[in-house]
Amino acid sequence: MKPLFTIISLVFLLHQRADCQQTAQAVLNGKDAKTQISRHIYGQFSEHLGRSIYDGFWVSEGSAIPNKGRIRTDIVAALKKIHIPNLRWPGGCFADEYHWRDGIGERTKRPKMVNTNWGGVTEDNSFGTNEFLELCGMLNCEPYISANVGSGTVEEMSKWVEYLNFDGVSPMAALRTENGHPKPYKVSFWGVGNESWGCGGSMTPDFYSDQFRRYATYARNYPGAPLKKIASGANSDDYHWTEVAMKNIGNRAWGLSLHYYTVPTGNWGDKGSATNFDEKQYISTMRNCLHMEELVNKHSAIMDKYDPAKKVAMVVDEWGIWTNVEPGTNPGFLFQQNSMRDALIAGTTLNIFNNHADRVKMANLAQTVNVLQSLVLTQKEKMILTPTYHVFDLYQVHQDATLLPITIQSPDYMVDDIKVPAVNASASRDSNGVVHISFVNLNTKKMTVSTVLQSVDYKSVQGRMVTSAKFTDYNSFDQPDKITVTAFTGAKKQGAQLVAELPALSVVILTLKK
Ligand code: AHR
């Protein structure tokens, strides 16, 4: 046994020497695991925007597209498969112009409104509170409602909570019963405004903090329905906002939000195409995506000052890539394709959130269907699953699992003057003792990762992955399965190490069983 082991180690070392640029070294610590990765990190967001609700989830009366009560059943089945834990609604910017009472009762009698934020289209309010809760019931996910602070009132939010959560005799409970739902829905997640620094009212953090305190006071915890109130948080690196909000709101809120979008060019005027870009733009996009790590660290450090026990959750309730819209589509509808680059962004960002699970307790990809970085795209009766969807499929094993700290020393992937670590990772142990490691290889060349496993016993290793030859590859309605989940067989136990050969541009998940 001994000489054989020595030969294997030698071969391994020679291989490493010859190919040292392409080898990343990782250490996985299975011993001191204590943090749970909240399943809510895998949350979703659907706004009344473009074709997200209308022509997405919600079909027209009498539509031939299979539906249940006008909710598309193919989308529901796809999302159920990946166990989305929560859905944020009705916005976004739309939320701060939305008056929930316009969206209940007899549909033909509901007032219409102009969706001023998104294309100036007429909103007929046919999809409202009860329809949203019906959808969440079908998806088996928790609703996350964003209440109107910008143009709403304290009374309006307070009554919305009563309408959804009060079990007893009250005007709002009676209205809910009239609308066919005598039992309360018991919605826990409530956003108190959205982007209150911008489309949600252009407030200062001091003014918003006072508003939060007023709104939160009258958003009541009814018996059996305690609320998790989420304060509107910073835009990207606005650390001042976090400072003021933590000082003035602190643990009056269950969570404080953070919004950050990956813009390929870094220029909001011309963000770059979703599918037509070169390697320079690919790497600058990944650098911009990795900025999330710095944001989470710096906002966390401020939160730690006021909340060292980490009771207030960081809620990254809008994230994802934001590109130019597809040519010929309504600029106000934010419809973009989803490429292999999006899959790498999803894997990388979810690794960041997993690794910060002690503070990041919730996150919401923007947006689930037909808007920005979607999981699902539709074209009339057709539906395709995006590369991003397949990454959420792979990563669902991390939901509610215990985080296993993993450190990784990775060679850089470089294009001209831009460099990023080629490989990133996160890992967890599920309730059955099964360990999962997710690796993302951003490099256009294959990479080897050698992982030392501390206090992790396993007999077998299996893998699944999402990969494609080009970062610009995508699933189209003509070729819906160009990028999908495939088996990964490139991982082996080599002595004390687990060695994985990651294909270029890949998101890989390894399953280690005893
Ligand atoms: O997700 C699209 C928009 O981005 C949201 O409505 C808003 O909150 C953010 O600016």
Side-chain angles (χ1 to χ4, degrees):
M1 275 311 280
K2 247 191 167 174
L4 182 65
F5 180 76
T6 315
I7 291 167
I8 291 172
S9 308
L10 207 66
V11 169
F12 175 72
L13 282 173
L14 285 173
H15 167 78
Q16 255 195 318
R17 281 251 174 95
D19 203 15
C20 65
Q21 284 305 305
Q22 304 307 323
T23 301
Q25 304 286 344
V27 178
L28 176 69
N29 179 0
K31 204 166 120 209
D32 306 319
K34 53 181 189 308
T35 305
Q36 190 183 42
I37 298 174
S38 167
R39 68 181 184 284
H40 290 294
I41 282 178
Y42 293 82
Q44 298 299 317
F45 169 37
S46 280
E47 180 167 9
H48 285 238
L49 192 179
R51 296 173 50 243
S52 164
I53 302 290
Y54 303 105
D55 207 20
F57 278 115
W58 187 242
V59 297
S60 52
E61 193 82 66
S63 168
I65 298 169
N67 69 86
K68 192 169 162 233
R70 293 181 64 179
I71 294 172
R72 255 184 104 138
T73 44
D74 54 354
I75 299 183
V76 169
L79 298 180
K80 272 182 88 171
K81 191 170 164 255
I82 58 167
H83 297 102
I84 67 162
N86 69 70
L87 186 61
R88 178 174 184 250
W89 173 88
C93 296
F94 179 80
D96 280 291
E97 276 197 298
Y98 183 64
H99 300 284
W100 70 271
R101 281 189 171 100
D102 294 347
I104 56 167
E106 166 76 51
R107 282 198 198 111
T108 53
K109 297 201 181 118
R110 295 183 190 177
K112 295 183 172 46
M113 66 179 279
V114 188
N115 191 334
T116 51
N117 284 289
W118 307 117
V121 295
T122 302
E123 159 70 55
D124 72 0
N125 276 311
S126 58
F127 188 91
T129 300
N130 293 66
E131 290 79 10
F132 171 63
L133 271 297
E134 186 62 30
L135 170 63
C136 291
M138 286 166 76
L139 291 168
N140 198 19
C141 77
E142 282 202 51
Y144 168 13
I145 291 186
S146 217
N148 181 346
V149 169
S151 70
T153 64
V154 170
E155 189 258 6
E156 198 179 353
M157 179 177 178
S158 157
K159 295 292 184 221
W160 206 0
V161 175
E162 182 188 324
Y163 180 83
L164 284 160
N165 288 0
F166 184 63
D167 194 2
V169 179
S170 87
M172 291 302 111
L175 190 56
R176 185 185 67 232
T177 306
E178 219 175 275
N179 290 331
H181 210 277
K183 284 251 161 287
Y185 289 100
K186 299 193 176 170
V187 174
S188 359
F189 293 119
W190 286 84
V192 181
N194 166 75
E195 297 195 350
S196 302
W197 39 264
C199 66
S202 305
M203 302 176 200
T204 63
D206 293 279
F207 183 77
Y208 171 73
S209 301
D210 287 344
Q211 293 302 310
F212 177 94
R213 291 163 71 128
R214 283 181 65 224
Y215 276 76
T217 301
Y218 302 100
R220 302 292 188 189
N221 290 327
Y222 291 108
L227 306 187
K228 290 179 173 149
K229 295 167 204 163
I230 297 163
S232 175
N235 178 25
S236 182
D237 58 1
D238 182 355
Y239 300 113
H240 177 62
W241 186 282
T242 299
E243 187 84 47
V244 175
M246 285 306 294
K247 192 160 109 206
N248 296 341
I249 298 172
N251 61 14
R252 282 183 165 85
W254 175 82
L256 177 62
S257 82
L258 167 67
H259 287 184
Y260 175 66
Y261 285 96
T262 297
V263 174
T265 58
N267 169 8
W268 283 92
D270 181 10
K271 297 177 275 295
S273 160
T275 53
N276 186 10
F277 51 90
D278 60 15
E279 193 172 357
K280 187 81 192 264
Q281 194 162 114
Y282 162 65
I283 194 171
S284 66
T285 307
M286 294 321 303
R287 178 196 54 196
N288 297 347
C289 161
L290 283 157
H291 183 54
M292 183 67 91
E293 173 82 32
E294 180 182 324
L295 293 174
V296 170
N297 278 326
K298 289 192 175 166
H299 285 289
S300 291
I302 298 168
M303 293 177 83
D304 287 351
K305 255 194 344 190
Y306 297 93
D307 172 36
K310 298 189 193 292
K311 292 206 165 113
V312 181
M314 184 184 291
V315 178
V316 191
D317 53 13
E318 288 188 29
W319 69 270
I321 180 172
W322 191 326
T323 68
N324 293 338
V325 298
E326 288 306 309
T329 64
N330 187 330
F333 280 16
L334 310 186
F335 178 72
Q336 63 191 48
Q337 246 297 353
N338 196 289
S339 69
M340 186 60 216
R341 178 177 66 176
D342 293 55
L344 297 161
I345 289 170
T348 300
T349 308
L350 292 170
N351 280 344
I352 294 171
F353 294 158
N354 285 348
N355 290 330
H356 291 278
D358 58 343
R359 182 61 87 179
V360 180
K361 306 271 169 63
M362 191 170 186
N364 301 76
L365 175 74
Q367 301 192 4
T368 327
V369 182
N370 290 335
V371 172
L372 301 177
Q373 187 170 352
S374 311
L375 298 178
V376 164
L377 301 175
T378 65
Q379 189 181 77
K380 299 204 173 95
E381 76 292 349
K382 290 188 188 165
M383 178 193 81
I384 54 174
L385 305 176
T386 65
T388 301
Y389 173 94
H390 294 302
V391 172
F392 273 76
D393 186 3
L394 293 185
Y395 275 54
Q396 58 176 306
V397 292
H398 290 307
Q399 290 192 22
D400 283 344
T402 305
L403 177 73
L404 301 183
I406 185 164
T407 50
I408 185 155
Q409 298 289 328
S410 170
D412 286 329
Y413 159 55
M414 257 183 106
V415 180
D416 300 338
D417 54 333
I418 305 180
K419 58 180 181 189
V420 295
V423 180
N424 63 75
S426 70
S428 67
R429 186 186 276 130
D430 72 13
S431 52
N432 297 316
V434 177
V435 169
H436 293 100
I437 312 176
S438 40
F439 287 116
V440 179
N441 179 13
L442 302 178
N443 204 335
T444 49
K445 297 193 179 73
K446 71 172 188 187
M447 292 289 303
T448 303
V449 191
S450 296
T451 308
V452 174
L453 301 167
Q454 296 174 339
S455 304
V456 174
D457 295 326
Y458 68 103
K459 279 205 183 92
S460 70
V461 51
Q462 287 176 330
R464 298 166 79 215
M465 67 175 166
V466 174
T467 188
S468 203
K470 294 192 227 137
F471 38 65
T472 47
D473 285 344
Y474 60 92
N475 292 338
S476 66
F477 289 93
D478 297 328
Q479 224 186 334
D481 295 319
K482 186 173 177 64
I483 302 175
T484 186
V485 175
T486 54
F488 171 78
T489 52
K492 281 178 194 58
K493 203 173 186 173
Q494 286 191 1
Q497 315 240 5
L498 171 67
V499 179
E501 304 275 350
L502 309 177
L505 306 170
S506 62
V507 181
V508 172
I509 192 123
L510 300 181
T511 302
L512 277 58
K513 287 189 184 158
K514 282 190 201 162

